Each structure stands twice: as structure tokens, then as C-alpha cells.
Amino acid sequence: MTHTARRIGRSLALVLPVVLVLSGTLAVTMVPWADNTPSQILTASAEDVSVPAKPRAAQDVLRDKLMSELQQGEAPGVVLTHLQQEVDRRPSLTDHCAGIARALGRAAVEAYGPTKAQSFARPVCDTAYASGVASMG
């Protein structure tokens, strides 16, 4: 008899927690006061939480600012001067200067054509602007 009781006890010890967890889960999801409409379920999981945006890298902010200046009609030579001033003011941007200058060169070709865009070349970041122009022309 003790052998059978132990066997039943072991079986219950394995099965009972599973049954309790499942019945508890079902009980919680089926409570009568819970509003189970899809709109309520979505809003519960997608609350309007203010999550601060990740700060943008300084070089991305600078490139966007300079591209905006160029698109608003500022002469590429002036924009390149602004790039040089920013790099002089913030030496940490030096590694990104050539990439920004190339992007400005490509944008200048789209706005002015290759010949006129090349006429705005300045010795900013070596010849990166000119290589941007050349890649588009």
C-alpha cells in the first residue's frame, strides 16, 4: 500500500503544478471584469510611452544641416566653408569630414551639373568634395 501511495504522490507532484499553472492562467485571462475587446488589448500593450529618441551622431546632424543649406540654394562653396569651420571648431568631426564633403559634392552635381559643381571645389578635407563630384559626373 505504501508503494502505491508513493507512486500516486509522485504522479501528483509532477502533474499538480502543471494543472495549477494552466488553470491559474486560464482564470486570469477569463476574469469577467476584464475588457477583452481588441482595442483594449492593443492599448494595454502599446501605451503612449514617451521614450526619448536616441541622440543622433554629431556628424549626421552636421551632414543633414549642410545638405539642407545646399538644397535651400546656398552655394556649395559657402557650404564647404561651413564644413571647414565646423571641423575646425570640433576636431572630433575630422574623421567624418571626407564623407560629408563627398556627399556634398554628389548633391552639388544634382543641383548644378558636374561642370558647375566642380567650380565650387575647395581644399576642404583634401579632395573629397571633388571626388564626390567626379563620382556623379
Side-chain angles (χ1 to χ4, degrees):
M1 181 105 148
T2 37
H3 180 62
T4 307
R6 276 193 198 142
R7 205 162 156 212
I8 293 172
R10 284 184 193 153
S11 297
L12 281 175
L14 293 173
V15 174
L16 192 58
V18 173
V19 171
L20 290 173
V21 167
L22 288 176
S23 63
T25 303
L26 292 174
V28 169
T29 59
M30 301 303 282
V31 290
W33 61 84
D35 185 4
N36 290 328
T37 60
S39 63
Q40 277 300 108
I41 292 169
L42 287 176
T43 55
S45 64
E47 286 291 322
D48 183 21
V49 179
S50 282
V51 178
K54 289 183 180 179
R56 294 179 56 215
Q59 68 270 12
D60 296 336
V61 172
L62 177 60
R63 181 181 54 248
D64 291 350
K65 176 181 172 257
L66 295 174
M67 292 294 273
S68 177
E69 286 181 19
L70 193 62
Q71 290 168 353
Q72 291 175 2
E74 193 72 63
V78 173
V79 176
L80 286 170
T81 299
H82 292 163
L83 172 60
Q84 186 63 56
Q85 290 169 342
E86 283 299 314
V87 170
D88 290 344
R89 193 173 68 81
R90 296 176 68 187
S92 63
L93 294 169
T94 302
D95 291 343
H96 307 284
C97 185
I100 294 171
R102 270 191 298 278
L104 291 171
R106 289 189 295 268
V109 168
E110 290 178 15
Y112 297 97
T115 305
K116 186 161 183 179
Q118 188 61 44
S119 71
F120 293 107
R122 302 274 187 283
V124 176
C125 311
D126 296 324
T127 59
Y129 174 85
S131 71
V133 169
S135 73
M136 294 293 289

